[in-house]
Amino acid sequence: MPESHLRAADADRAAVAEVLGTHMSAGRLTVAEFDDRLSRAYAARTYGELDQLTADLPAVEQPPAVRTEPAPVVRPAPAGCGGPGWGMHSWVGGWGHWGSTANGLRAAWASWLTTAVLVVGIWALTSVSSGESIYPWPVWVIGPWGVVLLAQTLGGTRGPGRDRQRDRQRDRHPGQLHG
């Protein structure tokens, strides 16, 4: 460590706290000693005060570095590539599988409901803990999303599944227009 009269930074205090934790885990410090030294570490102003906390402890050995091979990089296929279902992973193709099938709509509504329960729960707990009714901000999270899902549910969808169905009809009857 630098000279003992110089001021210590938060990172220096945290480093000493980590060393103390290592020594407590090894059994060199009791929980009471660790607690006492930890509170003194975070109250320390200089390097000298931090040095006193670890002066009677051996140096902590760093474990040997474990060498691992880097994970292979997996790059997604560009939008528009791939087989059936590619629209689920890109913005191309409208709503993708979220809105192209009944199961997709069910999954979208389940996601919406889960989010709605979560944000309304957070809002309710915050209101109760503050003792007053807080502005109902969850409407801005779940409202627009719910409107879009409702429009998809009631008005049909335009996703890869529906486009494929329309393309098959056009191939069967090339002279007729089907919408």
Side-chain angles (χ1 to χ4, degrees), residues 46-64:
T46 64
Y47 287 113
E49 292 172 345
L50 290 175
D51 283 339
Q52 291 174 0
L53 300 173
T54 57
D56 62 335
L57 300 170
V60 176
E61 292 182 24
Q62 297 296 327

Side-chain angles (χ1 to χ4, degrees), residues 8 16 25 27 32 35 43-44 52 69 88 93 120 140 151 160 176:
V16 170
S25 297
D35 187 42
Q52 291 174 0
E69 295 297 319
M88 178 173 31
V120 168
W140 297 109
Q176 301 174 1

Side-chain angles (χ1 to χ4, degrees), residues 85-152:
W86 60 267
M88 178 173 31
H89 300 290
S90 69
W91 287 101
V92 179
W95 288 94
H97 281 287
W98 282 107
S100 63
T101 64
N103 285 339
L105 279 173
R106 200 167 318 153
W109 278 111
S111 295
W112 178 85
L113 183 61
T114 302
T115 302
V117 168
L118 183 67
V119 297
V120 168
I122 291 169
W123 170 78
L125 285 173
T126 307
S127 292
V128 168
S129 66
S130 69
E132 59 185 46
S133 180
I134 296 176
Y135 178 78
W137 57 267
V139 299
W140 297 109
V141 176
I142 59 178
W145 186 6
V147 168
V148 170
L149 284 177
L150 186 61
Q152 277 189 320

